[in-house]
Amino acid sequence: MTGKLYIVGVGPGHHDHMTFRAKEVISESDTIVGYETYVNLVQDLIGGKTIHRYAMTQEVERAHQCIDLAKSGKIVSLVSSGDPGIYGMAGLIYETLAATGWVPSDELKVEIIPGVSALNSCASIVGSPLMTDFAVVSMSDLMVPWEIIQKRVESAAQGDFVLVIYNPKSKKRIHQLQDTQKILLKHRKPTTPVAIIKSAYRESEAIVMTDLENLLNFDEELGMTSTVIIGNSSTYTYKDLMINPRGYKSKYNLHEQTNPNLKV
């Protein structure tokens, strides 16, 4: 008998922002696996289920256990914050399965349940910073060499992308954000708007609106649960909101329109 493996995105951490499908498969599952912090986010949904909690650096062990449990007949939900396909566990699960010769038509069924990634949730809190093309870069160099990350930041800066930064800083990761700021200042004004969002939609949520020049002055808000959004040449702030023009201003002359019934 073979069970099923769900890789579940539980969103930013508040049940109001979990998808219906995520709640549904968690309810259907008899076994829950995940990094302890993520398991705690769904604690009130998993009563009576078998729970396997892991430390942050045990991703490979998590992947193997989930697969083994599903093969043994369990219905397993591997919970991940945000979206499991964006810096989450989806990739590692498929890498592990591919190494065994598994194919999607096999008896073991795997389904990814998409969630709300940090870039979505954080952007919604601070305004509309992602209205035009943007790039997403993690400052974690555990799996990607720092030289490559620097090239990606440089390319995003040259291309005038809004830049979303995951994992901006940790106790051991200090120079990465400093280096990133230096790269960006070669291409952008010091007054470029920046938003720092810590623990979006969780009890410890904290928001800082600042600019590129002063980005590093908020040490307490910069950490592993923080996301940094750095504007491009068009981004501006309005009453503590970060706005990136979508292009309608030039197309519809927004400032000249006074008819409230205008449809665009």
Side-chain angles (χ1 to χ4, degrees):
M1 177 182 177
T2 302
K4 186 165 185 177
L5 174 55
Y6 295 110
I7 312 168
V8 188
V10 299
H14 193 290
H15 286 184
D16 289 349
H17 294 277
M18 283 180 65
T19 68
F20 175 84
R21 181 63 175 155
K23 293 179 181 179
E24 186 177 53
V25 300
I26 288 174
S27 176
E28 177 187 332
S29 300
D30 50 53
T31 305
I32 306 296
V33 180
Y35 169 45
E36 185 169 16
T37 298
Y38 303 156
V39 171
N40 289 340
L41 294 177
V42 295
Q43 188 64 50
D44 59 334
L45 301 178
I46 57 178
K49 302 181 185 296
T50 301
I51 303 171
H52 299 275
R53 302 170 184 267
Y54 280 87
M56 181 176 285
T57 57
Q58 295 178 307
E59 290 83 359
V60 175
E61 291 89 342
R62 258 184 276 169
H64 281 290
Q65 183 177 43
C66 286
I67 293 168
D68 291 343
L69 285 168
K71 285 182 176 179
S72 73
K74 302 294 185 181
I75 300 176
V76 183
S77 276
L78 171 58
V79 296
S80 175
S81 71
D83 181 284
I86 301 179
Y87 300 113
M89 288 293 292
L92 184 54
I93 290 292
Y94 281 129
E95 287 179 63
T96 304
L97 288 168
T100 68
W102 171 89
V103 294
S105 59
D106 281 354
E107 190 175 352
L108 173 60
K109 301 304 178 184
V110 179
E111 182 180 346
I112 295 178
I113 310 301
V116 181
S117 180
L119 65 90
N120 302 113
S121 56
C122 292
S124 71
I125 290 172
V126 299
S128 56
L130 306 181
M131 286 291 102
T132 56
D133 296 335
F134 60 91
V136 187
V137 179
S138 170
M139 294 287 101
S140 176
D141 54 1
L142 294 175
M143 299 174 215
V144 179
W146 178 241
E147 294 75 19
I148 299 297
I149 296 174
Q150 285 180 298
K151 289 180 180 179
R152 293 174 179 174
V153 172
E154 184 79 44
S155 296
Q158 291 176 342
D160 198 31
F161 285 89
V162 173
L163 186 62
V164 181
I165 297 177
Y166 281 44
N167 308 313
K169 192 175 181 181
S170 69
K171 292 180 180 179
K172 296 181 180 180
R173 191 179 305 123
I174 305 298
H175 73 86
Q176 285 85 344
L177 194 60
Q178 297 172 350
D179 295 349
T180 295
Q181 182 197 44
K182 291 177 183 177
I183 293 171
L184 291 171
L185 283 171
K186 293 191 299 181
H187 303 276
R188 300 188 187 175
K189 296 179 180 178
T191 55
T192 299
V194 171
I196 303 170
I197 306 95
K198 179 181 179 181
S199 302
Y201 290 103
R202 302 180 190 178
E203 292 183 2
S204 56
E205 178 184 288
I207 311 297
V208 172
M209 303 299 292
T210 183
D211 56 33
L212 186 55
E213 184 177 31
N214 293 292
L215 168 60
L216 302 178
N217 295 339
F218 299 92
D219 193 65
E220 290 188 6
E221 286 74 26
L222 291 166
M224 289 296 291
T225 64
S226 302
T227 301
V228 178
I229 303 177
I230 300 172
N232 66 4
S233 62
S234 300
T235 308
Y236 64 96
T237 55
Y238 173 76
K239 297 186 182 298
D240 291 328
L241 293 174
M242 192 174 181
I243 301 173
N244 201 295
R246 186 67 184 93
Y248 297 118
K249 179 179 177 181
S250 59
K251 188 173 183 179
Y252 297 108
N253 299 316
L254 291 184
H255 290 301
E256 298 177 12
Q257 298 290 353
T258 57
N259 182 0
N261 297 316
L262 177 69
K263 294 182 179 180
V264 296

